[in-house]
């Protein structure tokens, strides 16, 4: 999509949602409301229209940080505009003014690499890490797909299959039981010492299926003898042809049995056979890609995509006043609620 400058900065307006302008699940109202409830925020959406009548949407979560003061940010995962939008100086000034008029002192965006929507924000961008994407095959059966795999991945898949592991994809819109997945996920997060926010809750996992409906699918790998859940993941799909690897976990035994490799390889074949064309695997932990998660995801990827963030001050005086008003437990964080440890 070409970068199209809007006619004037005043073209920014508050919209109902981004649903009419993008099929991307991360930007749509159901996903935004899901994480707004989790964060204690309010889901909002900015719109902008250019002189030719073309429109873009910028979904945001808005959180109060002080009397009459707020900050806005992308929901967990990915966000930004519904497409590439050229932010010239007047447009950027208009965005700051629109936010400041609502008492929003700062904006934090997690641009979506698969939408390439960081374009046009050049002066406000920071490369945070790399994410990975996989072109999905059109092979309609697993045996045909297996023959196309690199040797190391073929070994992992065959190892899991020889162990008798069973992979199941829960149908879209089914009333699935997420409790086993949650227990597996929470145990892994606690073992890693992950921040409390990322532990989520059983109700939050269940809300994914209830609120996202056909856009959310659960994959599980189990031991056929004991029925033990060894690995599981949520996948999110949208009508653009993209599927997104969202939340996942595996037990120590599952990792030894190559259960997560089995799950991802099965997902690549499964969603490709359903007509989806790209799987976004998400990113690793380090920009230099030296961490284990980056190395793991690279094994499945056919390309790597840059993940950028944007930090923007709409009211610098108000922002600094809020940073000074209460103690900061994590002063390195840009968002004030995060810096306070709220």
């Amino acid at each position: 999509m070409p970068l199209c400058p809007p006619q004037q900065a005043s073209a920014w307006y508050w919209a109902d949602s981004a649903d009419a302008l993008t099929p991307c699940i991360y930007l749509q109202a159901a996903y935004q409301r899901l994480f707004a409830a989790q964060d204690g925020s309010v889901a909002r959406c900015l719109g902008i229209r250019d002189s030719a009548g073309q429109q873009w949407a910028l979904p945001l979560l808005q959180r109060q940080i002080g009397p009459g003061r707020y900050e806005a940010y992308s929901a967990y995962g990915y966000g930004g505009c519904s497409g590439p939008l050229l932010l010239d100086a007047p447009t950027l000034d208009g965005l700051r003014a629109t936010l400041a008029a609502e008492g929003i002192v700062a904006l934090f965006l997690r641009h979506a690499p698969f939408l390439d929507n960081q374009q046009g924000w050049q002066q406000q961008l920071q490369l945070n890490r790399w994410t990975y994407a996989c072109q999905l095959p059109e092979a309609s059966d697993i045996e045909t797909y297996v023959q196309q795999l690199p040797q190391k991945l073929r070994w992992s898949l065959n190892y899991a299959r020889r162990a008798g592991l069973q992979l199941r994809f829960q149908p879209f819109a089914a009333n699935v039981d997420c409790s086993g997945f949650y227990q597996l996920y929470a145990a892994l997060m606690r073992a890693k010492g992950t921040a409390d926010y990322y532990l989520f809750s059983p109700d939050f996992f269940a809300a994914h299926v209830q609120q996202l409906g056909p856009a959310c699918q659960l994959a599980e790998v189990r031991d056929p003898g004991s029925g033990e859940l060894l690995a599981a993941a949520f996948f999110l799909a949208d009508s653009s042809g993209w599927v997104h690897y969202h939340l996942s976990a595996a037990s120590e035994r599952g990792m030894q049995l190559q259960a997560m490799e089995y799950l991802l390889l099965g997902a690549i074949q499964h969603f490709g056979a359903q007509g989806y064309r790209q799987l976004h695997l998400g990113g690793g932990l380090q920009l230099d890609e030296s961490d284990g998660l980056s190395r793991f995801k690279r094994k499945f990827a056919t390309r790597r995509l840059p993940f950028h963030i944007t930090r923007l001050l709409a009211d610098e005086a108000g922002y600094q006043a809020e940073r000074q008003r209460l103690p900061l437990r994590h002063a390195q964080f840009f968002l004030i609620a995060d810096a306070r440890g709220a």
Side-chain angles (χ1 to χ4, degrees):
M1 181 186 295
L3 299 179
C4 300
Q7 183 178 19
Q8 55 185 7
S10 60
W12 290 103
Y13 61 93
W14 291 102
D16 291 335
S17 75
D19 289 10
L21 298 177
T22 176
C24 178
I25 183 63
Y26 288 106
L27 303 187
Q28 293 200 324
Y31 186 90
Q32 296 290 311
R33 289 194 297 265
L34 181 67
F35 277 88
Q38 170 70 15
D39 292 2
S41 301
V42 176
R44 303 192 70 186
C45 185
L46 274 170
I48 188 168
R49 182 183 295 106
D50 70 12
S51 58
Q54 188 168 0
Q55 298 179 71
W56 293 263
L58 178 60
L60 303 169
L61 300 188
Q62 180 176 320
R63 174 169 56 195
Q64 186 164 14
I65 53 173
R69 287 189 179 133
Y70 306 85
E71 56 189 4
Y73 60 98
S74 300
Y76 172 91
Y78 304 96
C81 286
S82 55
L85 167 69
L86 179 59
L87 283 167
D88 56 15
T91 306
L92 194 59
D93 288 343
L95 174 59
R96 288 192 178 99
T98 302
L99 294 171
E102 298 285 308
I104 300 171
V105 300
L107 172 66
F108 179 76
L109 296 179
R110 301 178 178 92
H111 298 281
F114 44 88
L115 295 179
D116 204 23
N117 64 359
Q118 76 279 358
Q119 292 189 53
W121 295 76
Q122 286 87 345
Q123 301 305 312
Q124 288 74 39
L125 286 179
Q126 177 187 343
L127 179 62
N128 181 269
R129 69 192 71 185
W130 295 91
T131 71
Y132 308 96
C134 176
Q135 180 76 32
L136 298 179
E138 297 181 10
S140 60
D141 66 274
I142 189 69
E143 298 306 329
T144 303
Y145 172 59
V146 168
Q147 299 308 313
Q148 303 170 3
L149 292 176
Q151 183 177 0
K152 289 184 177 179
L153 288 178
R154 190 162 61 247
W155 179 89
S156 293
L157 179 59
N158 287 333
Y159 188 94
R161 294 170 81 186
R162 283 195 301 270
L165 304 190
Q166 294 182 340
L167 172 61
R168 179 177 67 162
F169 288 86
Q170 301 277 24
F172 283 150
N175 184 23
V176 299
D177 180 5
C178 303
S179 58
F181 178 25
Y182 172 74
Q183 292 169 11
L184 192 67
Y185 176 87
L188 179 63
M189 293 299 105
R190 292 190 184 100
K192 290 182 174 181
T194 304
D196 289 347
Y197 175 85
Y198 299 103
L199 292 176
F200 300 126
S201 70
D203 288 344
F204 180 66
F205 271 58
H208 271 73
V209 177
Q210 295 162 1
Q211 297 184 35
L212 301 183
C216 183
Q217 186 165 3
L218 174 64
E220 296 181 328
V221 177
R222 291 185 180 271
D223 181 303
S226 65
E228 177 189 358
L229 182 63
L230 300 172
F234 274 143
F235 290 90
L236 305 181
D238 56 51
S239 59
S240 67
W242 280 92
V243 179
H244 308 276
Y245 181 49
H246 182 49
L247 296 172
S248 67
S251 67
E252 184 175 349
R253 180 166 177 262
M255 288 185 278
Q256 292 171 352
L257 293 174
Q258 309 293 300
M260 190 53 77
E261 284 86 350
Y262 185 25
L263 187 152
L264 274 174
L265 290 170
I268 289 170
Q269 188 276 325
H270 172 78
F271 287 111
Q274 288 190 348
Y276 293 97
R277 299 277 58 91
Q278 298 279 345
L279 171 64
H280 189 246
L281 296 159
L285 302 176
Q286 302 294 333
L287 178 58
D288 66 4
E289 303 176 281
S290 62
D291 59 285
L293 186 58
S294 293
R295 292 194 298 271
F296 176 76
K297 291 182 177 180
R298 276 207 311 264
K299 295 191 300 183
F300 306 90
T302 54
R303 61 184 174 130
R304 63 203 279 265
L305 305 172
F307 169 55
H308 292 87
I309 60 174
T310 287
R311 300 180 179 95
L312 183 71
L313 294 182
D315 174 3
E316 185 168 3
Y319 175 80
Q320 295 300 338
E322 284 302 320
R323 287 189 71 89
Q324 295 168 19
R325 188 171 64 85
L326 294 173
L328 303 180
R329 295 174 57 192
H330 309 287
Q332 73 274 21
F333 292 155
F334 175 73
L335 288 175
I336 292 172
D338 294 343
R340 291 170 179 167

